[in-house]
Amino acid sequence: MKSIGGLMFVLGLGSFLLHYLGMEFKLLMWIDNWGPSTGTAIRIGLVVVGAVLWLVAGRQEKAVAAE
């Protein structure tokens, strides 16, 4: 889960930054099909959900290692 969360975070943040430079990841080109505001919401959602997954999985990993 930690790697999936990290990937979502990096792709969301990268997509957010590249969008304002007029570029986009080919994998995430579908995001703007519903309009720019929905695309921005999806990007923010990717960043937030990815960060949460990454943090929670990291804490669980530490808890398992401590046992």
Side-chain angles (χ1 to χ4, degrees):
M1 283 303 213
K2 187 175 180 180
S3 61
I4 292 172
L7 179 65
M8 287 175 64
F9 179 78
V10 168
L11 284 176
L13 189 61
S15 177
F16 191 71
L17 295 173
L18 287 175
H19 176 72
Y20 289 106
L21 296 174
M23 296 180 271
E24 190 62 64
F25 290 125
K26 286 189 178 193
L27 179 65
L28 300 175
M29 291 178 77
W30 59 270
I31 288 177
D32 286 323
N33 285 345
W34 296 289
S37 60
T38 305
T40 301
I42 293 171
R43 287 179 183 91
I44 291 170
L46 275 172
V47 171
V48 170
V49 171
V52 167
L53 281 174
W54 187 62
L55 291 173
V56 168
R59 288 184 182 166
Q60 286 180 347
E61 209 173 71
K62 287 180 186 177
V64 169
E67 290 179 355

Coordinates of all heavy atoms in Angstrom, one line a residue:
M1 N 0.8 -1.2 0.0 CA 0.0 0.0 0.0 C 0.9 1.3 0.0 O 0.5 2.3 -0.6 CB -0.9 0.0 1.2 CG -2.1 -0.9 1.1 SD -3.0 -0.5 -0.4 CE -4.6 -0.8 0.1
K2 N 2.0 1.2 0.6 CA 2.9 2.3 0.7 C 3.4 2.7 -0.7 O 3.4 3.9 -1.0 CB 4.1 2.0 1.6 CG 4.9 3.2 1.9 CD 6.0 2.9 2.9 CE 6.9 4.1 3.2 NZ 7.9 3.8 4.1
S3 N 3.7 1.8 -1.5 CA 4.2 2.1 -2.8 C 3.0 2.6 -3.7 O 3.3 3.5 -4.5 CB 4.8 0.9 -3.5 OG 3.9 -0.2 -3.6
I4 N 1.8 2.1 -3.6 CA 0.7 2.6 -4.3 C 0.4 4.0 -3.9 O 0.1 4.9 -4.8 CB -0.5 1.7 -4.2 CG1 -0.3 0.3 -4.8 CG2 -1.8 2.3 -4.7 CD1 -1.3 -0.7 -4.5
G5 N 0.4 4.3 -2.6 CA 0.1 5.6 -2.1 C 1.2 6.6 -2.6 O 0.9 7.7 -3.0
G6 N 2.4 6.2 -2.6 CA 3.5 7.0 -3.1 C 3.4 7.3 -4.6 O 3.6 8.5 -5.0
L7 N 3.0 6.3 -5.3 CA 2.8 6.5 -6.8 C 1.6 7.5 -7.0 O 1.7 8.4 -7.9 CB 2.6 5.2 -7.5 CG 2.3 5.2 -9.0 CD1 3.5 5.7 -9.7 CD2 1.9 3.8 -9.5
M8 N 0.5 7.3 -6.3 CA -0.6 8.2 -6.5 C -0.2 9.6 -6.1 O -0.6 10.6 -6.9 CB -1.8 7.7 -5.6 CG -2.5 6.5 -6.1 SD -3.7 5.9 -5.0 CE -4.9 7.2 -5.0
F9 N 0.5 9.8 -5.1 CA 0.9 11.1 -4.6 C 1.8 11.8 -5.7 O 1.6 12.9 -6.1 CB 1.7 11.0 -3.3 CG 2.2 12.4 -2.8 CD1 1.3 13.2 -2.2 CD2 3.5 12.7 -2.9 CE1 1.7 14.5 -1.7 CE2 4.0 13.9 -2.5 CZ 3.1 14.8 -1.9
V10 N 2.8 11.1 -6.2 CA 3.7 11.6 -7.2 C 3.0 11.9 -8.5 O 3.2 13.0 -9.1 CB 4.9 10.7 -7.4 CG1 5.7 11.0 -8.6 CG2 5.8 10.6 -6.2
L11 N 2.2 11.0 -9.0 CA 1.4 11.2 -10.2 C 0.5 12.4 -10.1 O 0.3 13.2 -11.0 CB 0.7 10.0 -10.6 CG 1.5 8.9 -11.3 CD1 0.7 7.6 -11.6 CD2 2.2 9.3 -12.5
G12 N -0.2 12.5 -8.9 CA -1.2 13.6 -8.7 C -0.5 14.9 -8.7 O -0.9 15.9 -9.3
L13 N 0.6 15.0 -7.9 CA 1.4 16.2 -7.8 C 2.0 16.6 -9.1 O 2.0 17.8 -9.5 CB 2.4 16.1 -6.7 CG 3.1 17.4 -6.3 CD1 2.1 18.4 -5.8 CD2 4.2 17.1 -5.3
G14 N 2.6 15.6 -9.8 CA 3.2 15.9 -11.1 C 2.2 16.3 -12.1 O 2.5 17.2 -12.9
S15 N 1.1 15.7 -12.1 CA 0.0 16.1 -13.1 C -0.5 17.5 -12.8 O -0.8 18.2 -13.7 CB -1.2 15.1 -13.0 OG -2.2 15.5 -13.8
F16 N -0.6 17.8 -11.5 CA -1.0 19.2 -11.1 C 0.0 20.2 -11.6 O -0.4 21.2 -12.2 CB -1.2 19.2 -9.6 CG -1.9 20.4 -9.1 CD1 -3.2 20.6 -9.2 CD2 -1.1 21.4 -8.4 CE1 -3.9 21.7 -8.8 CE2 -1.8 22.5 -7.9 CZ -3.1 22.7 -8.1
L17 N 1.2 20.0 -11.4 CA 2.3 20.9 -11.8 C 2.4 21.0 -13.4 O 2.5 22.1 -13.9 CB 3.6 20.5 -11.2 CG 3.7 20.6 -9.7 CD1 5.0 20.1 -9.2 CD2 3.5 22.1 -9.3
L18 N 2.4 19.8 -14.0 CA 2.5 19.8 -15.5 C 1.3 20.4 -16.2 O 1.4 21.0 -17.2 CB 2.7 18.4 -16.0 CG 4.0 17.7 -15.7 CD1 4.0 16.3 -16.2 CD2 5.1 18.5 -16.5
H19 N 0.1 20.3 -15.6 CA -1.1 20.9 -16.2 C -1.0 22.4 -16.3 O -1.4 23.0 -17.3 CB -2.3 20.6 -15.3 CG -3.6 21.2 -15.8 ND1 -4.2 20.8 -16.9 CD2 -4.3 22.2 -15.3 CE1 -5.3 21.5 -17.1 NE2 -5.4 22.4 -16.1
Y20 N -0.3 23.0 -15.4 CA -0.2 24.5 -15.5 C 1.0 24.9 -16.4 O 1.1 26.1 -16.7 CB 0.0 25.1 -14.1 CG -1.3 25.0 -13.3 CD1 -1.5 24.1 -12.3 CD2 -2.4 25.9 -13.7 CE1 -2.7 24.0 -11.6 CE2 -3.6 25.8 -13.0 CZ -3.7 24.9 -12.0 OH -4.9 24.8 -11.4
L21 N 1.8 23.9 -16.8 CA 2.8 24.2 -17.8 C 2.4 23.8 -19.2 O 3.1 23.9 -20.2 CB 4.1 23.4 -17.5 CG 4.8 23.8 -16.1 CD1 5.9 22.8 -15.9 CD2 5.3 25.2 -16.2
G22 N 1.1 23.4 -19.3 CA 0.5 23.0 -20.6 C 0.9 21.6 -21.1 O 0.8 21.3 -22.3
M23 N 1.3 20.7 -20.2 CA 1.7 19.4 -20.5 C 0.9 18.4 -19.6 O 0.1 18.9 -18.7 CB 3.2 19.1 -20.2 CG 4.1 20.0 -21.1 SD 5.8 19.7 -20.7 CE 6.1 20.9 -19.5
E24 N 1.0 17.1 -19.9 CA 0.2 16.1 -19.1 C 0.9 14.8 -19.2 O 1.5 14.5 -20.2 CB -1.2 16.1 -19.6 CG -2.1 15.3 -18.7 CD -2.3 15.9 -17.3 OE1 -2.8 17.0 -17.2 OE2 -1.9 15.2 -16.4
F25 N 0.8 14.0 -18.2 CA 1.2 12.6 -18.3 C 0.2 11.9 -19.2 O -1.0 12.1 -19.1 CB 1.1 11.9 -16.9 CG 2.2 12.3 -15.9 CD1 1.8 12.8 -14.7 CD2 3.5 12.3 -16.2 CE1 2.8 13.2 -13.8 CE2 4.5 12.7 -15.3 CZ 4.1 13.1 -14.1
K26 N 0.7 11.0 -20.1 CA -0.2 10.3 -21.0 C -1.1 9.4 -20.2 O -2.3 9.2 -20.7 CB 0.6 9.5 -22.0 CG 1.3 10.3 -23.0 CD 1.9 9.4 -24.1 CE 2.5 10.4 -25.2 NZ 2.8 9.6 -26.4
L27 N -0.7 8.9 -19.1 CA -1.5 8.0 -18.3 C -2.7 8.7 -17.7 O -3.8 8.1 -17.5 CB -0.7 7.4 -17.2 CG -1.4 6.5 -16.2 CD1 -1.8 5.2 -16.9 CD2 -0.5 6.1 -15.1
L28 N -2.6 10.0 -17.5 CA -3.6 10.8 -16.8 C -4.3 11.8 -17.8 O -4.9 12.8 -17.3 CB -3.1 11.5 -15.6 CG -2.5 10.6 -14.5 CD1 -1.8 11.4 -13.4 CD2 -3.6 9.7 -14.0
M29 N -4.3 11.6 -19.1 CA -4.9 12.6 -20.0 C -6.4 12.6 -19.9 O -7.0 13.6 -20.2 CB -4.4 12.3 -21.4 CG -3.0 12.6 -21.7 SD -2.4 12.2 -23.3 CE -3.1 13.5 -24.2
W30 N -7.0 11.6 -19.4 CA -8.5 11.5 -19.3 C -9.0 12.4 -18.2 O -10.2 12.7 -18.2 CB -8.9 10.0 -19.0 CG -8.3 9.5 -17.7 CD1 -7.1 8.9 -17.6 CD2 -8.8 9.7 -16.4 NE1 -6.8 8.6 -16.2 CE2 -7.9 9.1 -15.5 CE3 -10.0 10.2 -15.9 CZ2 -8.1 9.0 -14.1 CZ3 -10.2 10.1 -14.5 CH2 -9.3 9.5 -13.6
I31 N -8.2 12.9 -17.3 CA -8.7 13.7 -16.2 C -9.5 14.9 -16.6 O -10.5 15.3 -16.0 CB -7.5 14.1 -15.3 CG1 -7.0 12.8 -14.5 CG2 -7.9 15.1 -14.3 CD1 -5.8 13.1 -13.7
D32 N -9.0 15.6 -17.7 CA -9.7 16.8 -18.1 C -10.9 16.6 -19.0 O -11.5 17.6 -19.5 CB -8.7 17.8 -18.8 CG -7.7 18.4 -17.8 OD1 -8.2 18.7 -16.6 OD2 -6.6 18.5 -18.1
N33 N -11.3 15.4 -19.2 CA -12.5 15.1 -20.0 C -13.8 15.7 -19.5 O -14.7 16.0 -20.2 CB -12.7 13.6 -20.2 CG -11.8 13.0 -21.2 OD1 -11.1 13.8 -22.0 ND2 -11.7 11.7 -21.2
W34 N -13.9 15.9 -18.1 CA -15.1 16.4 -17.5 C -15.0 17.9 -17.2 O -15.8 18.5 -16.5 CB -15.4 15.7 -16.2 CG -15.7 14.2 -16.5 CD1 -16.8 13.8 -17.1 CD2 -14.8 13.1 -16.3 NE1 -16.7 12.4 -17.2 CE2 -15.5 12.0 -16.7 CE3 -13.6 13.0 -15.7 CZ2 -15.0 10.7 -16.6 CZ3 -13.1 11.7 -15.6 CH2 -13.8 10.6 -16.1
G35 N -13.9 18.6 -17.7 CA -13.8 20.0 -17.4 C -12.6 20.3 -16.5 O -12.1 19.4 -15.8
P36 N -12.1 21.5 -16.6 CA -10.9 21.9 -15.8 C -11.1 21.8 -14.3 O -10.2 21.4 -13.6 CB -10.6 23.3 -16.3 CG -11.7 23.8 -17.0 CD -12.6 22.6 -17.4
S37 N -12.3 22.2 -13.8 CA -12.5 22.2 -12.4 C -12.5 20.8 -11.8 O -12.0 20.4 -10.8 CB -13.7 23.0 -12.0 OG -14.8 22.4 -12.6
T38 N -13.2 19.9 -12.6 CA -13.2 18.5 -12.1 C -11.9 17.8 -12.3 O -11.5 17.0 -11.4 CB -14.3 17.7 -13.0 OG1 -15.5 18.4 -12.9 CG2 -14.4 16.3 -12.5
G39 N -11.1 18.2 -13.3 CA -9.8 17.7 -13.4 C -8.9 18.1 -12.3 O -8.1 17.3 -11.7
T40 N -9.0 19.3 -11.8 CA -8.2 19.8 -10.7 C -8.7 19.1 -9.4 O -7.8 18.7 -8.6 CB -8.4 21.3 -10.5 OG1 -8.0 22.0 -11.7 CG2 -7.6 21.9 -9.3
A41 N -9.9 18.8 -9.3 CA -10.4 18.1 -8.1 C -9.9 16.7 -8.1 O -9.5 16.1 -7.0 CB -12.0 18.1 -8.1
I42 N -9.8 16.0 -9.2 CA -9.3 14.7 -9.3 C -7.8 14.7 -9.0 O -7.3 13.8 -8.3 CB -9.5 14.1 -10.7 CG1 -11.0 13.8 -10.9 CG2 -8.8 12.7 -10.9 CD1 -11.4 13.4 -12.4
R43 N -7.1 15.7 -9.5 CA -5.6 15.8 -9.2 C -5.4 15.9 -7.7 O -4.5 15.3 -7.1 CB -5.0 16.9 -9.9 CG -4.8 16.7 -11.4 CD -4.2 17.9 -12.1 NE -4.1 17.6 -13.5 CZ -5.1 17.9 -14.4 NH1 -6.2 18.5 -14.0 NH2 -4.9 17.6 -15.7
I44 N -6.2 16.8 -7.0 CA -6.1 17.1 -5.6 C -6.4 15.8 -4.8 O -5.8 15.4 -3.9 CB -6.9 18.3 -5.2 CG1 -6.3 19.6 -5.7 CG2 -7.0 18.4 -3.7 CD1 -7.2 20.8 -5.6
G45 N -7.5 15.1 -5.3 CA -7.8 13.8 -4.7 C -6.7 12.8 -4.8 O -6.5 12.1 -3.8
L46 N -6.1 12.7 -5.9 CA -5.0 11.8 -6.0 C -3.8 12.1 -5.0 O -3.3 11.2 -4.4 CB -4.4 11.8 -7.5 CG -5.0 11.0 -8.5 CD1 -4.4 11.3 -9.9 CD2 -4.8 9.5 -8.2
V47 N -3.5 13.4 -4.9 CA -2.5 13.8 -4.0 C -2.9 13.5 -2.5 O -2.1 12.9 -1.8 CB -2.2 15.3 -4.1 CG1 -1.2 15.8 -3.0 CG2 -1.6 15.6 -5.5
V48 N -4.1 13.8 -2.1 CA -4.5 13.6 -0.8 C -4.6 12.1 -0.4 O -4.1 11.6 0.6 CB -5.9 14.3 -0.5 CG1 -6.5 13.9 0.8 CG2 -5.7 15.8 -0.6
V49 N -5.3 11.3 -1.3 CA -5.5 9.9 -1.0 C -4.1 9.2 -1.1 O -3.8 8.3 -0.2 CB -6.5 9.3 -2.0 CG1 -6.5 7.8 -1.9 CG2 -7.9 9.8 -1.8
G50 N -3.3 9.6 -2.0 CA -1.9 9.0 -2.1 C -1.1 9.3 -0.8 O -0.5 8.4 -0.3
A51 N -1.2 10.5 -0.3 CA -0.4 10.9 0.9 C -1.0 10.1 2.1 O -0.2 9.6 2.9 CB -0.5 12.4 1.2
V52 N -2.3 10.0 2.2 CA -2.9 9.2 3.3 C -2.5 7.8 3.3 O -2.1 7.2 4.3 CB -4.4 9.4 3.3 CG1 -5.1 8.4 4.3 CG2 -4.8 10.8 3.7
L53 N -2.6 7.1 2.1 CA -2.2 5.7 2.0 C -0.7 5.6 2.4 O -0.3 4.6 3.1 CB -2.4 5.2 0.6 CG -3.8 4.8 0.2 CD1 -3.9 4.5 -1.3 CD2 -4.3 3.7 1.0
W54 N 0.1 6.4 1.9 CA 1.6 6.4 2.1 C 1.9 6.5 3.6 O 2.7 5.7 4.2 CB 2.3 7.4 1.3 CG 3.8 7.3 1.4 CD1 4.6 6.3 1.0 CD2 4.7 8.3 1.9 NE1 5.9 6.6 1.2 CE2 6.0 7.8 1.7 CE3 4.5 9.6 2.4 CZ2 7.1 8.6 2.1 CZ3 5.6 10.3 2.8 CH2 6.9 9.8 2.7
L55 N 1.2 7.5 4.3 CA 1.5 7.7 5.7 C 1.0 6.5 6.6 O 1.6 6.0 7.5 CB 0.9 9.0 6.2 CG 1.6 10.2 5.6 CD1 0.8 11.5 6.0 CD2 3.0 10.4 6.1
V56 N -0.3 6.1 6.3 CA -0.9 5.0 7.1 C -0.1 3.7 6.9 O 0.2 3.0 7.9 CB -2.4 4.8 6.7 CG1 -2.9 3.5 7.3 CG2 -3.2 6.0 7.2
A57 N 0.3 3.4 5.7 CA 1.0 2.2 5.4 C 2.4 2.2 6.1 O 2.9 1.2 6.6 CB 1.2 1.9 3.9
G58 N 3.0 3.4 6.1 CA 4.3 3.6 6.8 C 4.2 3.3 8.3 O 5.1 2.7 8.9
R59 N 3.2 3.8 8.9 CA 3.0 3.6 10.3 C 2.7 2.2 10.6 O 3.2 1.7 11.6 CB 1.9 4.5 10.8 CG 2.2 6.0 10.9 CD 1.2 6.8 11.4 NE 1.6 8.2 11.4 CZ 0.7 9.2 11.6 NH1 -0.5 9.0 11.9 NH2 1.2 10.5 11.6
Q60 N 1.9 1.5 9.8 CA 1.6 0.1 10.0 C 2.9 -0.7 9.9 O 3.1 -1.7 10.6 CB 0.6 -0.4 9.1 CG -0.8 0.1 9.4 CD -1.9 -0.4 8.5 OE1 -1.6 -1.0 7.4 NE2 -3.1 -0.3 8.8
E61 N 3.7 -0.3 8.9 CA 5.0 -1.0 8.7 C 5.9 -0.9 9.9 O 6.5 -1.9 10.3 CB 5.7 -0.4 7.5 CG 6.6 -1.3 6.7 CD 7.0 -0.6 5.4 OE1 7.9 0.3 5.5 OE2 6.6 -1.0 4.3
K62 N 5.9 0.3 10.5 CA 6.7 0.5 11.7 C 6.2 -0.3 12.9 O 6.9 -0.9 13.7 CB 6.8 1.9 12.1 CG 7.7 2.7 11.1 CD 7.7 4.2 11.5 CE 8.4 5.0 10.5 NZ 8.4 6.5 10.9
A63 N 4.8 -0.4 13.0 CA 4.2 -1.1 14.1 C 4.5 -2.6 14.0 O 4.7 -3.3 15.0 CB 2.7 -0.9 14.1
V64 N 4.5 -3.1 12.8 CA 4.8 -4.6 12.6 C 6.2 -4.9 12.9 O 6.6 -5.9 13.5 CB 4.4 -5.0 11.1 CG1 4.9 -6.4 10.8 CG2 2.9 -4.9 11.0
A65 N 7.1 -4.0 12.5 CA 8.5 -4.2 12.7 C 8.9 -4.1 14.2 O 9.8 -4.7 14.7 CB 9.3 -3.1 12.0
A66 N 8.1 -3.3 15.0 CA 8.4 -3.2 16.4 C 7.9 -4.4 17.2 O 8.4 -4.6 18.3 CB 7.6 -1.9 17.0
E67 N 7.0 -5.2 16.7 CA 6.5 -6.4 17.4 C 7.5 -7.5 17.5 O 8.4 -7.8 17.1 CB 5.3 -6.9 16.7 CG 4.1 -6.0 16.9 CD 2.8 -6.5 16.2 OE1 2.9 -7.5 15.5 OE2 1.8 -5.8 16.3

